[in-house]
Amino acid sequence: MIRRILSLTGLVALMLAVAVPVLAQDARVEAAKKEGKVVWYTSLVLPSAEKVAKLFEAAYPGVKVEVHRTGSERILQRVMQELTANIKNADVVHTSDAGHFVFLKDKKLLMPYTPAGVDKFPPGFKDKDGYYFGLRATVTAIFYNTKLMSAAEAPKTWKDLLDPKWKGKLVTAHPSYSGVVATHVLALEKQYGWDYFKQLGQNKLMIVQSAADTPTTVVSGERIVAVNGGEYSAYQLKKKGNPIEIIYPKEGVPLIVSPTAITSFAPHPNAAKLFTDFTFTREIQQVMADSEGLYTGHPDVKYPTDKPKLGDLKLLSADAEELQKRNEEIKKRFVEFFGA
Amino acid sequence: MSVSTHRRASGATLRGRLEGVDRSLPVWVATALAIVALMALPLAWLGYMSVGAEQGTTFGHYREVFRDEALRKALWHTLVLAFWTGLVSVALGAPLAWLTARTNVPGKKLIRALVMASFVTPPFLGAFAWVMLAGPNAGLLNRMWRDLTGATDPLLDIFTMSGLVFVVTMYTFPYVYIMLANTLALIASDLEDAAAIHGAGRLGVALTITLPLVAPAIVSGFILAVLQALALFGSPAILALPAGFHTITTQVWSFFHFPPKVEQAAAVSIPLLLATALLLLMQKRLLGRRGYATVGGKGGQRRTIALGIWRYPALAAVFVVMAGSIFLPYAVLAKAAFARAWAQPLTWSNVTLANFTFTLFEYSSTKAAILNTVELGLATATMGAGLAALLSYVTNRRLVVGHQLVAFLALAPVVIPGVVLAVALFIAYTRPPFVLYGTLAILFVAYLTKEMPVGYAQSDATFRSIPPDLEEAGRILGAGRLRVLRDVTAPLARSGIIAAWCFIFIGVIRELSASIILFTPNTRVMSVVIFDLKEEGQFGAIAVLGLAMLAMTFATVSVVQAALGRDVLGVKE
C-alpha cells in the first residue's frame, strides 16, 4: 500500500515534470497520438520494461507502448527474421549487445536520431554518427547466496571460479540469449583468453538463458554462485530482502551499455521519437537508477548509496565493432565449452 | 441392334462416370488444394532447402550437419530419450491398463480420470513443475529429503537424462495405456479359461495367452511413446539445456538463433521426418498383419480377476505414479502461483496475489496471447472438425473414387514432428507467393496440419459406428442424400464430431514445438509466452499462465465427456 502511494506520488511528480516540455512539442505529441502506439523491442527485464511503458502512457495518454520483451540476441533474431518476410513491426530496438547496433547501422536499418539531452552523456553512450545511444548500463558480477555460504567462503575473483571445489555449484546465463552475457564473455575472453571458459566449463555449470535468471537461481538456492549476470537484477533482489550478495571482482567488471535506436522502417516514427526522448529524460533515467538499480549516462542522476559508484569500479569494456564481428564465435565457443 | 445396345451401354457408363465425377471432383479438388497448401508445398521447400546451394544442388548441408560432433551428440541424446521413454511408458502404462481393464482394483473411475489428466497436461508444464520439485538443490522434494535424512546429496536430479526421461514418461505413458486398455477390453476370456482348464497357472496363462494377444498393442504403444519423445521440444528445452545437452528438436530450434542456419535446420529435419515415417510404418504393419479374431470381436465374456489382498497395494502403486504426473506437479504450480518466492515455504509473509495481478493485468502480452490462443483454437477446431467429418464421411461411405487415398492423406501429417513442420512452413511461407509468416494464418496452417490426423481418426471412428442401414432406409423412403445427411447421419454423428472438435482444441492450446519457430511478437500464443517467461526465470507468472491453460484444457475435456457420455480415453468400462 505504502509502495503504491509512493509510486503514485512519483507518477504525479513525473507528470508535472514533463508537462512543461510537452506544451512546447504539441505538434509532435499530436502526430504521435495519431499513430496511436509505439512498438518497443526491448531486452530490459520484463517488470522494469512494463513500468517504463506505464509511465510513458501516463505522461502521454493516447499513445500506447507495445512491449515485446525477450533476450537481446532473440531480439536481433526477431527483427531480421521478420525482415526476411518483409514485416516491418519494430519502432524502437533496445538490446544489451552493442554489436547489434553496428550490424543494424551497416544494414541501413536504423534512423539517425539524437534524443534530447544526450549531448551531456559521456562518450561511451553515444554513436559518433548519431544512430544509437546508451539508454542504461549495468555491470556483470559474481553473486552468491548468503544463506548457504559465508562471505569468507565466497569467491572473490573471476579466476576463483575455476577452482574444482565449485563443481555443480555454479550457474551461468547464455550468450545466445543475453546481450549482457555475450558482452561479458567477450570482455573476459580479452582478459584471460578462451582458456578461462574452457576451464570454467569443467565445473559443470547449470545453464539458464537470461542474465536476470542467474540471480533468481542463486536466490532459490538451486546453485550457490552465479558466474555472471546483470548486476541490476541482483541488486533489485537484494533490496527486496532476498539472501543474495554481489561481488565486484578487483580485476575489473565488464561494463555493459545497452543502446537504443529507432528503426529506419519504423511504422510509428513520431511516437518512437517521443518515446525515445521520454526514456532519456532525467526523470526516467532516475527511475532506472532508483528502483531498477541501473547505471545511466545522465550526469544529473543520483544513485542509491547502497551500491558502488560506477567511477569506483574498475571497468572492463568490450568494443561494439568487435562484439559484432565475433558474435558467432562467442556463441559457438560457449556451446563448445558448456555443452548447450 | 448391336450398335444400339452398345450405345446404351456406353451411355450408361458415361452417365455413371459423370455421376462419379460429379461427386468426386469437388472433393478431390478441395482435398488436393488442402494437401498442397498444408503439406506438399512446405515439405517440397524443406527438401529443396536442405540440398539448395548458390548454384545447383549440394549435399553439403547434410555433410556439415552430420560431421558436427555436437549434432551427433544431440542425435544420440534423442535416441536415448526416445528409447527409454518408450520402455518406461510401457512399464507403467501396461500394468495400469491391465489393472483397470481386467482386475477388481478399487477406484477405477478415478484412475481413468487421472490417466486422462496426465494425457492432456502439456508436458512442458510438467517439466517446469518438476524443476521446482526436483532441482538438485532448491527442489522441494530434495529439501524435504535432506531435512529428513540429513543427507547432503540430492535424492533426485531432474537436470539429467534420466530426469528428462522420467518427466517425459509421466505424460507419455497414457498413449500406451489407451492402446492397451482398448485392446484388453476386447479380448474375451475364453482362451485364458481354456489354458487354465488345461492346467496352466495364473502366470502361465498370462505369459502364454494374454501376453501374445496384447503384444502388438504393447509394441504399438511403445512406438507411439517413442514418437512423442522424438517430437517433443518443451521438456528438453527446460530440462536438457540447463544440464548442457541438446536433443534434435532443441538443436533445430537453436539453428534459428542469429545468424540463422535454416539450411542446416532443413538438413536435420529430413532424417527426423524419415525416422518418424519408418516407425509409423512399423506400427501399422504390426497392428495390421495379424488380424486376431479374438481381438476384433466384441462377443465373449471378460472375467474380472480378483486381486485379493493386493487390491489396495495396487491402488497405492497407481497413486505413486499419479503423484509424479498430477498431484505433485499441480500442487507445486499452485504454490508458485501464490508465492513471492517459490522455493520458500508458503508462510503468510510469502503469500501474494502479485503474480496474478502482474500476469493478468500488468504484463501486456498476456491478454493478446490468450486471445490469439483462443482464436486459433476455435478456428482450427471448427475448420479441422468440419474437414475431418467431411473427409471421413466421404471415405466411410466410399463416395468418391480413390477414397482410400483421401483417408491416407488425412492421416499422413502424423509423421511430421511439430518442429519439422514449423521449419517447412517457415521456409515456404516467408517468401512469395504466400507470405503468411507474421500472421496468425501460418500458425493456423501449422495447427490444422498437425491436428488433422487426430480429428480424422475420431470422426472416422464415429462414422464407422453408424451403420449405413439407417441412411439406406432414409433413401428408400424417398429422401435425397442431403436430407438423409441432415436428418439421419448428422444427429447420430454429432457427439463424435463435438469430441473431434474438442480434441483439436486441446491439441492447439498446448502446442509449443511448431509455435516456437513460427511466432512473431504480434502472434504470440500462451505456450510461447510461458516459454519466454521461462527463459527469463519469471516462475510466478509461468505458474499463473500454466494454471489458466490447465483450466481451459479441463473445461474442454468436460465438454467431450458430456458429448460422448464416456471419458476421452476410448473404451467404456
Side-chain angles (χ1 to χ4, degrees):
Chain A
M1 191 63 203
I2 290 174
R3 249 180 57 201
R4 186 161 297 168
I5 291 170
L6 278 178
S7 73
L8 262 177
T9 47
L11 210 101
V12 172
L14 193 86
M15 284 163 74
L16 286 175
V18 289
V20 180
V22 161
L23 287 173
Q25 344 169 333
D26 252 359
R28 237 170 49 139
V29 175
E30 281 315 306
K33 272 189 187 158
K34 216 169 268 166
E35 291 166 356
K37 68 173 177 183
V38 50
V39 180
W40 189 27
Y41 283 27
T42 176
S43 68
L44 185 61
V45 290
L46 187 56
S48 309
E50 294 286 1
K51 183 191 273 175
V52 172
K54 294 282 171 311
L55 289 172
F56 177 79
E57 286 171 0
Y60 297 99
V63 190
K64 290 249 161 276
V65 184
E66 216 176 276
V67 177
H68 293 301
R69 194 278 155 193
T70 180
S72 300
E73 307 301 318
R74 299 273 202 282
I75 289 177
L76 185 66
Q77 178 194 341
R78 295 269 150 261
V79 171
M80 297 315 291
Q81 242 177 47
E82 287 177 22
L83 286 174
T84 60
N86 209 24
I87 297 169
K88 289 159 181 159
N89 191 36
D91 290 310
V92 179
V93 175
H94 169 53
T95 82
S96 293
D97 186 330
H100 293 168
F101 295 84
V102 173
F103 175 83
L104 291 169
K105 188 169 86 174
D106 278 356
K107 297 251 166 200
K108 311 228 173 304
L109 294 170
L110 299 183
M111 174 196 291
Y113 181 71
T114 307
V118 288
D119 41 330
K120 292 177 291 181
F121 280 41
F125 283 73
K126 293 188 277 198
D127 168 38
K128 58 182 188 310
D129 303 325
Y131 282 86
Y132 55 88
F133 295 89
L135 178 63
R136 56 166 168 126
T138 190
V139 297
T140 54
I142 298 172
F143 320 128
Y144 70 93
N145 186 312
T146 52
K147 238 197 226 160
L148 302 172
M149 195 166 61
S150 70
E153 292 168 291
K156 307 286 182 295
T157 68
W158 297 115
K159 288 235 165 165
D160 282 354
L161 299 166
L162 302 180
D163 192 322
K165 74 175 176 187
W166 298 117
K167 200 169 196 167
K169 295 183 172 151
L170 307 176
V171 58
T172 175
H174 206 298
S176 279
Y177 178 91
S178 163
V180 169
V181 174
T183 313
H184 164 95
V185 169
L186 181 61
L188 287 197
E189 191 275 335
K190 287 172 71 73
Q191 203 78 355
Y192 305 119
W194 283 120
D195 204 46
Y196 171 79
F197 289 97
K198 192 176 178 183
Q199 282 183 54
L200 189 58
Q202 305 296 311
N203 277 342
K204 297 271 164 229
L205 275 67
M206 174 176 175
I207 304 166
V208 296
Q209 300 293 320
S210 169
D213 199 17
T214 55
T216 48
T217 305
V218 166
V219 164
S220 78
E222 184 47 62
R223 292 294 188 270
I224 302 174
V225 178
V227 305
N228 54 38
E231 179 250 13
Y232 74 111
S233 303
Y235 173 77
Q236 288 180 40
L237 286 168
K238 183 182 156 190
K239 226 171 70 168
K240 284 182 196 144
N242 291 290
I244 187 168
E245 193 48 72
I246 304 166
I247 294 181
Y248 305 88
K250 290 271 179 297
E251 314 113 291
V253 284
L255 170 72
I256 291 98
V257 178
S258 312
T260 186
I262 301 174
T263 60
S264 59
F265 50 86
H268 315 99
N270 292 300
K273 287 174 187 167
L274 196 63
F275 178 72
T276 302
D277 277 359
F278 178 79
T279 53
F280 280 98
T281 56
R282 199 192 82 84
E283 290 69 29
I284 291 302
Q285 296 271 306
Q286 187 65 55
V287 167
M288 290 193 195
D290 284 343
S291 59
E292 315 303 297
L294 286 158
Y295 297 107
T296 84
H298 203 293
D300 305 334
V301 163
K302 305 269 175 296
Y303 293 100
T305 49
D306 55 351
K307 65 183 288 193
K309 302 261 175 302
L310 211 48
D312 298 343
L313 294 169
K314 184 177 177 215
L315 299 173
L316 309 173
S317 56
D319 175 55
E321 308 270 344
E322 190 172 359
L323 260 174
Q324 197 270 319
K325 269 193 216 103
R326 298 181 64 187
N327 180 298
E328 200 173 353
E329 180 198 354
I330 292 169
K331 294 169 184 174
K332 215 176 162 138
R333 292 317 285 272
F334 185 90
V335 172
E336 183 187 330
F337 298 137
F338 295 92
Chain B
M1 155 85 193
S2 76
V3 172
S4 80
T5 352
H6 182 75
R7 220 177 251 160
R8 218 181 301 141
S10 80
T13 48
L14 188 65
R15 210 178 306 133
R17 210 181 294 151
L18 267 179
E19 261 190 337
V21 167
D22 197 17
R23 282 200 300 255
S24 306
L25 202 60
V27 173
W28 268 112
V29 169
T31 316
L33 279 178
I35 298 299
V36 166
L38 297 179
M39 288 169 61
L41 182 67
L43 289 184
W45 267 113
L46 184 71
Y48 174 74
M49 195 60 116
S50 75
V51 294
E54 302 261 318
Q55 285 171 339
T57 57
T58 171
F59 283 101
H61 304 308
Y62 286 93
R63 262 201 304 277
E64 220 172 302
V65 156
F66 287 99
R67 255 195 217 145
D68 186 349
E69 205 203 321
L71 256 164
R72 282 210 305 267
K73 266 193 201 156
L75 192 66
W76 172 245
H77 292 140
T78 304
L79 292 177
V80 172
L81 168 67
F83 176 76
W84 282 104
T85 300
L87 217 58
V88 184
S89 294
V90 168
L92 293 179
L96 259 172
W98 177 76
L99 277 175
T100 53
R102 299 308 280 276
T103 72
N104 66 341
V105 71
K108 279 186 198 174
K109 256 203 177 129
L110 177 65
I111 297 175
R112 289 182 63 90
L114 289 169
V115 174
M116 186 274 300
S118 45
F119 183 55
V120 299
T121 302
F124 62 85
L125 276 185
F128 169 69
W130 271 98
V131 168
M132 295 187 280
L133 287 166
N137 301 303
L140 301 176
L141 295 179
N142 285 322
R143 288 194 176 186
M144 275 191 239
W145 167 254
R146 287 200 183 90
D147 289 348
L148 282 176
T149 63
T152 50
D153 286 334
L155 177 65
L156 308 155
D157 182 353
I158 209 67
F159 299 116
T160 55
M161 177 54 90
S162 39
L164 179 59
V165 168
F166 165 75
V167 172
V168 173
T169 303
M170 281 297 118
Y171 304 98
T172 306
F173 78 83
Y175 289 88
V176 179
Y177 177 93
I178 293 169
M179 288 300 299
L180 211 62
N182 289 339
T183 307
L184 280 171
L186 294 176
I187 299 176
S189 300
D190 350 358
L191 287 175
E192 291 163 340
D193 291 349
I197 290 163
H198 283 91
R202 222 180 248 181
L203 189 66
V205 172
L207 286 181
T208 57
I209 307 295
T210 322
L211 195 62
L213 280 175
V214 297
I218 290 183
V219 176
S220 171
F222 172 81
I223 291 176
L224 278 182
V226 165
L227 286 175
Q228 283 300 313
L230 277 182
L232 269 188
F233 167 76
S235 310
I238 291 171
L239 298 174
L241 293 186
F245 68 93
H246 268 293
T247 62
I248 283 293
T249 49
T250 57
Q251 188 71 56
V252 169
W253 164 78
S254 72
F255 280 137
F256 279 80
H257 293 169
F258 193 82
K261 301 177 195 68
V262 180
E263 294 83 5
Q264 297 197 9
V268 180
S269 296
I270 297 274
L272 190 57
L273 182 67
L274 293 179
T276 316
L278 193 72
L279 279 169
L280 273 169
L281 196 70
M282 273 165 61
Q283 189 216 11
K284 205 167 153 55
R285 281 279 163 80
L286 268 170
L287 280 188
R289 196 180 38 166
R290 305 192 209 171
Y292 291 107
T294 21
V295 177
K298 277 209 169 180
Q301 291 282 308
R302 279 166 288 276
R303 206 176 330 36
T304 304
I305 296 164
L307 290 174
I309 56 162
W310 292 105
R311 278 185 79 201
Y312 286 94
L315 183 64
V318 173
F319 279 153
V320 169
V321 175
M322 292 310 163
S325 67
I326 303 293
F327 303 143
L328 292 172
Y330 282 37
V332 81
L333 277 180
K335 180 190 166 179
F338 288 100
R340 281 179 214 283
W342 65 266
Q344 301 306 318
L346 213 46
T347 53
W348 276 117
S349 61
N350 194 24
V351 173
T352 178
L353 287 177
N355 294 325
F356 286 86
T357 48
F358 176 74
T359 312
L360 301 177
F361 303 111
E362 287 163 29
Y363 180 27
S364 50
S365 296
T366 310
K367 213 193 288 167
I370 292 180
L371 278 178
N372 284 343
T373 304
V374 171
E375 205 175 301
L376 281 165
L378 294 176
T380 314
T382 307
M383 182 75 184
L387 205 61
L390 177 75
L391 292 181
S392 56
Y393 179 72
V394 163
T395 52
N396 264 290
R397 299 296 181 256
R398 304 179 180 185
L399 295 183
V400 299
V401 185
H403 56 86
Q404 300 95 331
L405 190 60
V406 175
F408 171 77
L409 289 175
L411 286 170
V414 86
V415 305
I416 314 176
V419 172
V420 175
L421 179 65
V423 175
L425 290 175
F426 178 83
I427 299 170
Y429 294 127
T430 40
R431 63 191 76 224
F434 308 110
V435 183
L436 299 182
Y437 180 70
T439 66
L440 287 180
I442 197 167
L443 290 169
F444 173 74
V445 170
Y447 296 166
L448 190 62
T449 311
K450 219 181 148 193
E451 297 304 324
M452 201 58 215
V454 176
Y456 180 82
Q458 170 63 31
S459 314
D460 184 53
T462 305
F463 284 110
R464 230 171 248 203
S465 70
I466 303 170
D469 326 6
L470 289 170
E471 292 170 13
E472 278 154 16
R475 293 301 294 277
I476 289 165
L477 289 171
R481 188 172 279 283
L482 284 177
R483 172 134 190 243
V484 167
L485 198 57
R486 194 187 68 207
D487 291 348
V488 179
T489 321
L492 288 170
R494 188 190 298 137
S495 65
I497 292 169
I498 292 175
W501 191 98
C502 293
F503 282 129
I504 297 176
F505 189 81
I506 293 171
V508 168
I509 59 179
R510 67 191 279 183
E511 212 293 327
L512 175 66
S513 59
S515 320
I516 197 68
I517 287 173
L518 295 176
F519 83 96
T520 51
N522 286 328
T523 57
R524 298 209 291 175
V525 291
M526 285 172 85
S527 55
V528 166
V529 168
I530 291 178
F531 191 76
D532 267 8
L533 289 166
K534 176 68 188 70
E535 290 193 315
E536 196 179 330
Q538 301 278 356
F539 280 57
I542 304 169
V544 170
L545 273 180
L547 291 179
M549 189 180 259
L550 288 174
M552 280 163 77
T553 304
F554 284 106
T556 318
V557 166
S558 59
V559 175
V560 192
Q561 315 254 41
L564 290 180
R566 60 162 171 79
D567 66 35
V568 299
L569 298 178
V571 283
K572 294 190 182 96
E573 268 177 47

